[in-house]
Amino acid sequence: MKYRSIARDARVEHEILRSRFIGIATRVFSLDDFAELVREQRREHPDAAHVCSAAIVGEHGEASRSSDDGEPSGTAGAPMLQSILRQELTDVGVIVVRYFGGTKLGAGGLLRAYSGAASDALSAAGRVHRVTTKRVSAEVDLAEVGRIDNALRTRGLEPAVEYGSSAHLTVHVDTSELTAVQDQLRSLGVPTHVGADGYREVPR
């Protein structure tokens, strides 16, 4: 399983009719964590008129949230969320802080301002592909650990080994390769245990 996210946090600023818009893109893995990031921005910008936000998390983008934070309904949070969706990203949050400049922008102007700030912050954040992995572990006789280690490295894997009365071997395997790796280890006489999910990042 492979999905796209941003490579790093990013921040951009625009001024539109004297209103200042600060767009922030951030990596995030839960909506609760994102809510705390929004609260941090409120504390950092106590004089801002609005701190609007949107986020999508999960391998399949299964959870999302957006907030207009007092702007007219549908003019801020929803277009920011659409900016994430259009770029087919997940595990991403965007926050746009607005300092009001005294001139009303109208619904269309607000939508363009918030969408633009979110899109520009996402563009500045770069891209990575996240490849989902599984942790595979096995207990190996000390006499056999070199052979097993070499077999895994030949596949491009990087096992970690802890030594005791036997060797405890751990390796992170792409989900798509899990069955093949288990079959190979089984053919070498090594029973395996499949543990926690994880991911590795590949620059886009």
Side-chain angles (χ1 to χ4, degrees), residues 107-128:
L110 288 172
L111 190 152
R112 288 188 294 273
Y114 281 102
S115 176
S119 293
D120 288 350
L122 290 169
S123 294
R127 298 289 179 272
V128 292

Side-chain angles (χ1 to χ4, degrees), residues 36-59:
E36 179 55 32
L37 293 175
V38 174
R39 287 191 288 270
E40 287 179 8
Q41 289 302 314
R42 292 188 195 282
R43 292 191 291 268
E44 185 175 334
H45 300 278
D47 298 327
H50 305 280
V51 180
C52 302
S53 58
I56 297 177
V57 300
E59 290 179 16

Side-chain angles (χ1 to χ4, degrees), residues 37-117:
L37 293 175
V38 174
R39 287 191 288 270
E40 287 179 8
Q41 289 302 314
R42 292 188 195 282
R43 292 191 291 268
E44 185 175 334
H45 300 278
D47 298 327
H50 305 280
V51 180
C52 302
S53 58
I56 297 177
V57 300
E59 290 179 16
H60 305 284
E62 53 265 35
S64 64
R65 175 181 296 167
S66 65
S67 169
D68 294 315
D69 192 39
E71 293 282 29
S73 179
T75 63
M80 290 164 62
L81 193 66
Q82 284 300 313
S83 295
I84 303 173
L85 289 168
R86 278 194 300 271
Q87 298 188 42
E88 298 180 336
L89 301 170
T90 189
D91 288 347
V92 175
V94 286
I95 301 167
V96 177
V97 179
R98 182 190 183 190
Y99 286 89
F100 182 55
T103 301
K104 293 185 177 181
L105 302 183
L110 288 172
L111 190 152
R112 288 188 294 273
Y114 281 102
S115 176

Side-chain angles (χ1 to χ4, degrees), residues 141-185:
D141 288 342
L142 294 176
E144 294 293 313
V145 68
R147 182 170 68 100
I148 305 304
D149 182 88
N150 183 65
L152 291 171
R153 290 185 185 278
T154 299
R155 296 188 68 97
L157 301 173
E158 296 182 2
V161 183
E162 295 180 3
Y163 292 95
S165 57
S166 62
H168 181 76
L169 184 147
T170 303
V171 64
H172 295 275
V173 179
D174 291 359
T175 304
S176 60
E177 295 292 318
L178 178 62
T179 299
V181 170
Q182 286 184 292
D183 287 346
Q184 181 182 19
L185 290 172

Side-chain angles (χ1 to χ4, degrees), residues 6-7 13 20 26 63 96 128 149 162 183 188 193 199-200:
I6 59 174
E13 291 194 28
R20 180 183 170 208
T26 184
V96 177
V128 292
D149 182 88
E162 295 180 3
D183 287 346
L188 295 170
H193 172 74
Y199 67 89
R200 64 184 178 90

